Amino acid sequence: MTNRPFRWDLVRPDQVGTLLDHTEKPRLWFLEDLTEATAKVLARCGNGELHFVGRSLDSMHDLLGGALERTSWHDRVHQLPISLKPRLRYSRRDVETLRENLAENGITPYSLARGTRPTVFVDLVFEGDTFTELYLRLRDWIDDEREAWHVIRRKLRFLGVTLRQQPVRPDAWRWQEDADWTRELPAAAVRNVSLARDVWFYFGDDQPKLTPSFPRQRWTDETVRTPDHGKATRRALAEAFALVEAGRSAETRDRLVRTISAEPAIAGPWLRALVTELRL
């Protein structure tokens, strides 16, 4: 069994019991901004399988858990709970463990070459270091397995949730401009969605998280499988449950639909079909 941090199933919460008793109701002050960014991620994912890297966008994952629960997309949103730091030296065992974690999400060179949908990695991005490291590790694995890179490159996507710049300018710097590897992919494979400054920093720096960070040093640490019941974790759990419920609400789904419908990708039959499901 792959070693991964424990996380409660928020859509089917039979593990929680009385854990949240006497926990203060969270205030989802960021919900409107999060919902609009989430809608744009859906619209710009190219009808792919979404893999949220690390913990930064747990809230987007949880909102989608509620919003997509009764749609055909309910099983197309995944968490990839790994932390990747740039320019580290990886042992052979580190590489094997990373590949096992990717395979747990159904991501292998074999599946990438033969999958019918794009594989889309989503993360909060500043300079793109995590995406860079993930791409390089995937590229090495594909070469080791001798799978068809010319096929796989058309099925990989990287969707960054970036810090919104004010004022918004067409010539503003974007992280992928300094990431040489992005030139090996089709232009549409690297996209961005911006998020308001206060929300971006909340998710990236200040938000209490349900799971511990999972860098290379902890990939084989089995203590991460044990749930934490501390105050900060209970706050994070209450917020996560509230986001799932918010995603189920008609108001949130309506905002998703309105934002998606303003995106150019709405011309695609796959996205119009998703909008129809969200309306129902």
Side-chain angles (χ1 to χ4, degrees):
M1 179 180 178
T2 303
N3 190 53
R4 283 190 166 191
F6 175 86
R7 197 173 198 269
W8 284 269
D9 185 335
L10 303 174
V11 178
R12 293 174 291 276
D14 56 349
Q15 307 157 319
V16 177
T18 60
L19 186 58
L20 293 182
D21 289 358
H22 312 299
T23 300
E24 184 179 349
K25 183 178 179 180
R27 185 175 67 89
L28 303 181
W29 58 271
F30 51 82
L31 181 59
E32 183 175 322
D33 286 298
L34 174 63
T35 302
E36 291 185 0
T38 301
K40 292 175 182 177
V41 164
L42 286 173
R44 298 175 191 181
C45 77
N47 196 22
E49 295 274 337
L50 297 169
H51 299 266
F52 288 90
V53 183
R55 309 179 300 166
S56 297
L57 287 177
D58 280 357
S59 293
M60 187 175 289
H61 171 275
D62 297 336
L63 189 75
L64 285 172
L68 301 177
E69 182 180 10
R70 297 183 182 276
T71 74
S72 61
W73 282 59
H74 71 276
D75 60 351
R76 288 173 61 173
V77 180
H78 317 277
Q79 284 186 303
L80 184 58
I82 53 173
S83 176
L84 292 167
K85 301 296 183 184
R87 295 173 291 278
L88 289 181
R89 296 189 66 177
Y90 287 79
S91 69
R92 180 176 296 180
R93 181 56 188 151
D94 291 335
V95 171
E96 290 174 353
T97 304
L98 174 59
R99 291 176 180 182
E100 288 168 3
N101 267 288
L102 290 168
E104 183 79 8
N105 274 46
I107 301 167
T108 66
Y110 182 91
S111 67
L112 290 172
R114 292 157 183 80
T116 57
R117 296 187 188 121
T119 294
V120 186
F121 298 106
V122 190
D123 195 12
L124 208 66
V125 168
F126 184 61
E127 294 184 339
D129 287 344
T130 297
F131 277 168
T132 295
E133 194 64 28
L134 178 58
Y135 176 85
L136 294 175
R137 296 297 161 186
L138 272 174
R139 195 74 170 87
D140 286 345
W141 194 10
I142 292 163
D143 288 345
D144 288 348
E145 298 291 323
R146 299 182 181 179
E147 290 290 353
W149 170 243
H150 69 281
V151 173
I152 294 173
R153 67 181 292 274
R154 298 196 300 268
K155 299 179 182 182
L156 279 179
R157 288 176 177 258
F158 293 82
L159 225 170
V161 177
T162 60
L163 185 64
R164 186 170 299 149
Q165 302 182 44
Q166 298 294 345
V168 178
R169 304 196 325 269
D171 62 341
W173 174 85
R174 292 173 175 80
W175 65 270
Q176 63 264 39
E177 293 173 11
D178 291 337
D180 292 341
W181 60 268
T182 61
R183 297 169 181 74
E184 299 178 14
L185 300 171
V190 182
R191 304 288 303 277
N192 293 307
V193 170
S194 68
L195 195 59
R197 185 179 186 86
D198 55 346
V199 183
W200 194 96
F201 278 108
Y202 177 64
F203 292 156
D205 296 337
D206 304 325
Q207 185 184 40
K209 300 297 185 181
L210 263 184
T211 58
S213 180
F214 199 45
R216 179 193 62 179
Q217 296 86 342
R218 303 194 73 181
W219 288 350
T220 57
D221 179 2
E222 295 188 2
T223 64
V224 299
R225 296 186 191 177
T226 303
D228 176 64
H229 293 169
K231 184 176 180 180
T233 302
R234 285 185 278 119
R235 283 178 52 212
L237 185 59
E239 187 174 275
F241 270 122
L243 283 164
V244 173
E245 285 303 313
R248 289 171 173 147
S249 71
E251 181 180 359
T252 295
R253 287 186 288 109
D254 181 62
R255 186 178 293 277
L256 287 171
V257 165
R258 283 187 281 112
T259 306
I260 289 172
S261 298
E263 288 282 305
I266 195 62
W270 67 270
L271 192 54
R272 293 199 301 274
L274 175 57
V275 162
T276 298
E277 291 191 68
L278 286 169
R279 282 180 172 143
L280 294 176

mmCIF file of all heavy atoms in Angstrom, residues 213-241:
data_model
loop_
_atom_site.group_PDB
_atom_site.id
_atom_site.type_symbol
_atom_site.label_atom_id
_atom_site.label_comp_id
_atom_site.label_asym_id
_atom_site.label_seq_id
_atom_site.Cartn_x
_atom_site.Cartn_y
_atom_site.Cartn_z
ATOM 1 N N SER A 213 2.378 18.557 5.611
ATOM 2 C CA SER A 213 3.136 18.624 4.365
ATOM 3 C C SER A 213 3.806 17.277 4.119
ATOM 4 O O SER A 213 4.173 16.572 5.063
ATOM 5 C CB SER A 213 4.180 19.737 4.448
ATOM 6 O OG SER A 213 4.920 19.815 3.256
ATOM 7 N N PHE A 214 3.993 16.931 2.842
ATOM 8 C CA PHE A 214 4.485 15.596 2.513
ATOM 9 C C PHE A 214 5.690 15.684 1.578
ATOM 10 O O PHE A 214 5.639 15.257 0.425
ATOM 11 C CB PHE A 214 3.341 14.801 1.876
ATOM 12 C CG PHE A 214 3.534 13.305 1.889
ATOM 13 C CD1 PHE A 214 3.968 12.627 3.015
ATOM 14 C CD2 PHE A 214 3.254 12.555 0.748
ATOM 15 C CE1 PHE A 214 4.128 11.260 3.022
ATOM 16 C CE2 PHE A 214 3.403 11.179 0.740
ATOM 17 C CZ PHE A 214 3.845 10.527 1.874
ATOM 18 N N PRO A 215 6.811 16.240 2.096
ATOM 19 C CA PRO A 215 8.020 16.318 1.281
ATOM 20 C C PRO A 215 8.732 14.973 1.217
ATOM 21 O O PRO A 215 8.351 14.013 1.888
ATOM 22 C CB PRO A 215 8.866 17.347 2.037
ATOM 23 C CG PRO A 215 8.463 17.154 3.461
ATOM 24 C CD PRO A 215 7.000 16.818 3.434
ATOM 25 N N ARG A 216 9.794 14.940 0.465
ATOM 26 C CA ARG A 216 10.539 13.696 0.240
ATOM 27 C C ARG A 216 10.913 12.999 1.545
ATOM 28 O O ARG A 216 10.835 11.769 1.650
ATOM 29 C CB ARG A 216 11.805 14.017 -0.551
ATOM 30 C CG ARG A 216 12.693 12.823 -0.834
ATOM 31 C CD ARG A 216 14.047 13.248 -1.328
ATOM 32 N NE ARG A 216 14.742 14.033 -0.310
ATOM 33 C CZ ARG A 216 15.975 14.522 -0.469
ATOM 34 N NH1 ARG A 216 16.618 14.329 -1.599
ATOM 35 N NH2 ARG A 216 16.552 15.227 0.490
ATOM 36 N N GLN A 217 11.283 13.781 2.570
ATOM 37 C CA GLN A 217 11.740 13.192 3.825
ATOM 38 C C GLN A 217 10.645 12.400 4.534
ATOM 39 O O GLN A 217 10.932 11.597 5.419
ATOM 40 C CB GLN A 217 12.259 14.294 4.768
ATOM 41 C CG GLN A 217 13.486 15.024 4.240
ATOM 42 C CD GLN A 217 13.126 16.193 3.327
ATOM 43 O OE1 GLN A 217 12.013 16.269 2.816
ATOM 44 N NE2 GLN A 217 14.081 17.072 3.121
ATOM 45 N N ARG A 218 9.383 12.617 4.172
ATOM 46 C CA ARG A 218 8.277 11.958 4.864
ATOM 47 C C ARG A 218 7.566 10.921 3.997
ATOM 48 O O ARG A 218 6.583 10.336 4.441
ATOM 49 C CB ARG A 218 7.259 12.998 5.345
ATOM 50 C CG ARG A 218 7.857 14.066 6.244
ATOM 51 C CD ARG A 218 6.799 14.859 6.972
ATOM 52 N NE ARG A 218 6.192 14.063 8.034
ATOM 53 C CZ ARG A 218 5.215 14.510 8.811
ATOM 54 N NH1 ARG A 218 4.723 15.729 8.632
ATOM 55 N NH2 ARG A 218 4.716 13.750 9.762
ATOM 56 N N TRP A 219 8.049 10.711 2.787
ATOM 57 C CA TRP A 219 7.352 9.798 1.878
ATOM 58 C C TRP A 219 7.255 8.381 2.435
ATOM 59 O O TRP A 219 6.342 7.651 2.096
ATOM 60 C CB TRP A 219 8.040 9.781 0.515
ATOM 61 C CG TRP A 219 7.823 11.042 -0.271
ATOM 62 C CD1 TRP A 219 6.966 12.060 0.017
ATOM 63 C CD2 TRP A 219 8.493 11.423 -1.480
ATOM 64 N NE1 TRP A 219 7.059 13.049 -0.921
ATOM 65 C CE2 TRP A 219 7.988 12.691 -1.860
ATOM 66 C CE3 TRP A 219 9.466 10.821 -2.270
ATOM 67 C CZ2 TRP A 219 8.419 13.354 -3.004
ATOM 68 C CZ3 TRP A 219 9.898 11.491 -3.413
ATOM 69 C CH2 TRP A 219 9.380 12.733 -3.783
ATOM 70 N N THR A 220 8.199 8.001 3.277
ATOM 71 C CA THR A 220 8.157 6.655 3.859
ATOM 72 C C THR A 220 7.829 6.686 5.353
ATOM 73 O O THR A 220 7.931 5.666 6.034
ATOM 74 C CB THR A 220 9.514 5.942 3.653
ATOM 75 O OG1 THR A 220 10.552 6.737 4.219
ATOM 76 C CG2 THR A 220 9.783 5.710 2.168
ATOM 77 N N ASP A 221 7.414 7.840 5.859
ATOM 78 C CA ASP A 221 7.075 7.994 7.277
ATOM 79 C C ASP A 221 5.619 7.577 7.502
ATOM 80 O O ASP A 221 4.690 8.308 7.157
ATOM 81 C CB ASP A 221 7.280 9.452 7.687
ATOM 82 C CG ASP A 221 6.937 9.703 9.147
ATOM 83 O OD1 ASP A 221 6.570 8.731 9.853
ATOM 84 O OD2 ASP A 221 7.009 10.872 9.575
ATOM 85 N N GLU A 222 5.415 6.413 8.075
ATOM 86 C CA GLU A 222 4.061 5.872 8.214
ATOM 87 C C GLU A 222 3.230 6.590 9.277
ATOM 88 O O GLU A 222 2.015 6.378 9.365
ATOM 89 C CB GLU A 222 4.130 4.369 8.516
ATOM 90 C CG GLU A 222 4.723 3.558 7.368
ATOM 91 C CD GLU A 222 4.622 2.062 7.581
ATOM 92 O OE1 GLU A 222 4.056 1.642 8.606
ATOM 93 O OE2 GLU A 222 5.115 1.319 6.712
ATOM 94 N N THR A 223 3.845 7.457 10.064
ATOM 95 C CA THR A 223 3.065 8.208 11.055
ATOM 96 C C THR A 223 2.088 9.176 10.390
ATOM 97 O O THR A 223 1.115 9.608 11.022
ATOM 98 C CB THR A 223 3.981 8.994 12.012
ATOM 99 O OG1 THR A 223 4.705 9.995 11.280
ATOM 100 C CG2 THR A 223 4.956 8.066 12.714
ATOM 101 N N VAL A 224 2.328 9.512 9.119
ATOM 102 C CA VAL A 224 1.405 10.433 8.436
ATOM 103 C C VAL A 224 0.041 9.792 8.209
ATOM 104 O O VAL A 224 -0.934 10.492 7.912
ATOM 105 C CB VAL A 224 1.988 10.914 7.089
ATOM 106 C CG1 VAL A 224 3.297 11.657 7.297
ATOM 107 C CG2 VAL A 224 2.162 9.767 6.095
ATOM 108 N N ARG A 225 -0.042 8.470 8.354
ATOM 109 C CA ARG A 225 -1.324 7.790 8.160
ATOM 110 C C ARG A 225 -2.256 7.941 9.365
ATOM 111 O O ARG A 225 -3.438 7.599 9.288
ATOM 112 C CB ARG A 225 -1.094 6.295 7.928
ATOM 113 C CG ARG A 225 -0.320 5.961 6.675
ATOM 114 C CD ARG A 225 -0.288 4.448 6.504
ATOM 115 N NE ARG A 225 0.640 4.017 5.479
ATOM 116 C CZ ARG A 225 0.880 2.759 5.187
ATOM 117 N NH1 ARG A 225 0.276 1.798 5.870
ATOM 118 N NH2 ARG A 225 1.737 2.440 4.240
ATOM 119 N N THR A 226 -1.726 8.419 10.464
ATOM 120 C CA THR A 226 -2.522 8.549 11.687
ATOM 121 C C THR A 226 -3.223 9.899 11.699
ATOM 122 O O THR A 226 -2.565 10.948 11.598
ATOM 123 C CB THR A 226 -1.625 8.428 12.929
ATOM 124 O OG1 THR A 226 -0.931 7.185 12.888
ATOM 125 C CG2 THR A 226 -2.460 8.499 14.196
ATOM 126 N N PRO A 227 -4.549 9.936 11.836
ATOM 127 C CA PRO A 227 -5.262 11.219 11.825
ATOM 128 C C PRO A 227 -4.918 12.058 13.047
ATOM 129 O O PRO A 227 -4.758 11.540 14.153
ATOM 130 C CB PRO A 227 -6.742 10.815 11.829
ATOM 131 C CG PRO A 227 -6.768 9.418 12.354
ATOM 132 C CD PRO A 227 -5.476 8.789 11.942
ATOM 133 N N ASP A 228 -4.788 13.353 12.823
ATOM 134 C CA ASP A 228 -4.527 14.294 13.897
ATOM 135 C C ASP A 228 -5.849 14.900 14.357
ATOM 136 O O ASP A 228 -6.702 15.243 13.541
ATOM 137 C CB ASP A 228 -3.590 15.400 13.400
ATOM 138 C CG ASP A 228 -3.355 16.452 14.453
ATOM 139 O OD1 ASP A 228 -2.766 16.116 15.497
ATOM 140 O OD2 ASP A 228 -3.773 17.604 14.238
ATOM 141 N N HIS A 229 -6.050 14.996 15.662
ATOM 142 C CA HIS A 229 -7.298 15.528 16.208
ATOM 143 C C HIS A 229 -7.089 16.865 16.912
ATOM 144 O O HIS A 229 -7.922 17.283 17.715
ATOM 145 C CB HIS A 229 -7.915 14.517 17.187
ATOM 146 C CG HIS A 229 -8.377 13.269 16.516
ATOM 147 N ND1 HIS A 229 -8.747 12.144 17.227
ATOM 148 C CD2 HIS A 229 -8.525 12.949 15.216
ATOM 149 C CE1 HIS A 229 -9.107 11.182 16.380
ATOM 150 N NE2 HIS A 229 -8.972 11.658 15.162
ATOM 151 N N GLY A 230 -5.985 17.537 16.621
ATOM 152 C CA GLY A 230 -5.682 18.810 17.259
ATOM 153 C C GLY A 230 -6.632 19.917 16.839
ATOM 154 O O GLY A 230 -7.407 19.786 15.883
ATOM 155 N N LYS A 231 -6.555 21.026 17.550
ATOM 156 C CA LYS A 231 -7.480 22.143 17.316
ATOM 157 C C LYS A 231 -7.376 22.680 15.894
ATOM 158 O O LYS A 231 -8.388 22.941 15.239
ATOM 159 C CB LYS A 231 -7.200 23.256 18.331
ATOM 160 C CG LYS A 231 -8.176 24.421 18.240
ATOM 161 C CD LYS A 231 -7.900 25.445 19.330
ATOM 162 C CE LYS A 231 -8.883 26.610 19.233
ATOM 163 N NZ LYS A 231 -8.625 27.631 20.299
ATOM 164 N N ALA A 232 -6.153 22.871 15.400
ATOM 165 C CA ALA A 232 -5.970 23.414 14.046
ATOM 166 C C ALA A 232 -6.541 22.467 12.998
ATOM 167 O O ALA A 232 -7.164 22.904 12.024
ATOM 168 C CB ALA A 232 -4.490 23.671 13.784
ATOM 169 N N THR A 233 -6.343 21.167 13.188
ATOM 170 C CA THR A 233 -6.880 20.188 12.241
ATOM 171 C C THR A 233 -8.408 20.190 12.263
ATOM 172 O O THR A 233 -9.061 20.089 11.220
ATOM 173 C CB THR A 233 -6.348 18.779 12.550
ATOM 174 O OG1 THR A 233 -4.921 18.805 12.488
ATOM 175 C CG2 THR A 233 -6.879 17.763 11.551
ATOM 176 N N ARG A 234 -8.983 20.320 13.457
ATOM 177 C CA ARG A 234 -10.440 20.354 13.548
ATOM 178 C C ARG A 234 -11.006 21.607 12.888
ATOM 179 O O ARG A 234 -12.051 21.557 12.251
ATOM 180 C CB ARG A 234 -10.876 20.248 15.006
ATOM 181 C CG ARG A 234 -10.736 18.825 15.557
ATOM 182 C CD ARG A 234 -11.271 18.673 16.964
ATOM 183 N NE ARG A 234 -10.286 19.120 17.949
ATOM 184 C CZ ARG A 234 -10.468 20.114 18.796
ATOM 185 N NH1 ARG A 234 -11.594 20.797 18.778
ATOM 186 N NH2 ARG A 234 -9.536 20.432 19.669
ATOM 187 N N ARG A 235 -10.298 22.716 13.004
ATOM 188 C CA ARG A 235 -10.708 23.931 12.276
ATOM 189 C C ARG A 235 -10.655 23.700 10.772
ATOM 190 O O ARG A 235 -11.564 24.087 10.033
ATOM 191 C CB ARG A 235 -9.801 25.100 12.646
ATOM 192 C CG ARG A 235 -10.081 25.748 13.989
ATOM 193 C CD ARG A 235 -9.075 26.855 14.261
ATOM 194 N NE ARG A 235 -9.000 27.802 13.159
ATOM 195 C CZ ARG A 235 -7.896 28.460 12.813
ATOM 196 N NH1 ARG A 235 -6.755 28.242 13.458
ATOM 197 N NH2 ARG A 235 -7.922 29.314 11.799
ATOM 198 N N ALA A 236 -9.572 23.071 10.318
ATOM 199 C CA ALA A 236 -9.430 22.787 8.890
ATOM 200 C C ALA A 236 -10.522 21.832 8.410
ATOM 201 O O ALA A 236 -11.070 21.991 7.308
ATOM 202 C CB ALA A 236 -8.052 22.192 8.614
ATOM 203 N N LEU A 237 -10.848 20.848 9.243
ATOM 204 C CA LEU A 237 -11.875 19.876 8.880
ATOM 205 C C LEU A 237 -13.244 20.548 8.779
ATOM 206 O O LEU A 237 -14.015 20.279 7.846
ATOM 207 C CB LEU A 237 -11.901 18.749 9.915
ATOM 208 C CG LEU A 237 -12.829 17.564 9.642
ATOM 209 C CD1 LEU A 237 -12.476 16.882 8.327
ATOM 210 C CD2 LEU A 237 -12.741 16.556 10.800
ATOM 211 N N ALA A 238 -13.550 21.426 9.725
ATOM 212 C CA ALA A 238 -14.829 22.139 9.686
ATOM 213 C C ALA A 238 -14.931 22.998 8.427
ATOM 214 O O ALA A 238 -15.986 23.042 7.774
ATOM 215 C CB ALA A 238 -14.981 23.004 10.938
ATOM 216 N N GLU A 239 -13.837 23.663 8.067
ATOM 217 C CA GLU A 239 -13.847 24.488 6.857
ATOM 218 C C GLU A 239 -14.005 23.628 5.604
ATOM 219 O O GLU A 239 -14.753 23.980 4.684
ATOM 220 C CB GLU A 239 -12.564 25.313 6.774
ATOM 221 C CG GLU A 239 -12.564 26.321 5.631
ATOM 222 C CD GLU A 239 -11.349 27.215 5.672
ATOM 223 O OE1 GLU A 239 -11.398 28.232 6.397
ATOM 224 O OE2 GLU A 239 -10.352 26.905 4.988
ATOM 225 N N ALA A 240 -13.322 22.502 5.590
ATOM 226 C CA ALA A 240 -13.411 21.615 4.429
ATOM 227 C C ALA A 240 -14.828 21.076 4.252
ATOM 228 O O ALA A 240 -15.357 21.035 3.136
ATOM 229 C CB ALA A 240 -12.417 20.466 4.582
ATOM 230 N N PHE A 241 -15.468 20.658 5.349
ATOM 231 C CA PHE A 241 -16.850 20.192 5.263
ATOM 232 C C PHE A 241 -17.770 21.305 4.773
ATOM 233 O O PHE A 241 -18.684 21.073 3.963
ATOM 234 C CB PHE A 241 -17.335 19.686 6.618
ATOM 235 C CG PHE A 241 -17.079 18.233 6.845
ATOM 236 C CD1 PHE A 241 -16.318 17.808 7.928
ATOM 237 C CD2 PHE A 241 -17.599 17.272 5.996
ATOM 238 C CE1 PHE A 241 -16.071 16.464 8.148
ATOM 239 C CE2 PHE A 241 -17.350 15.921 6.202
ATOM 240 C CZ PHE A 241 -16.597 15.515 7.286
#
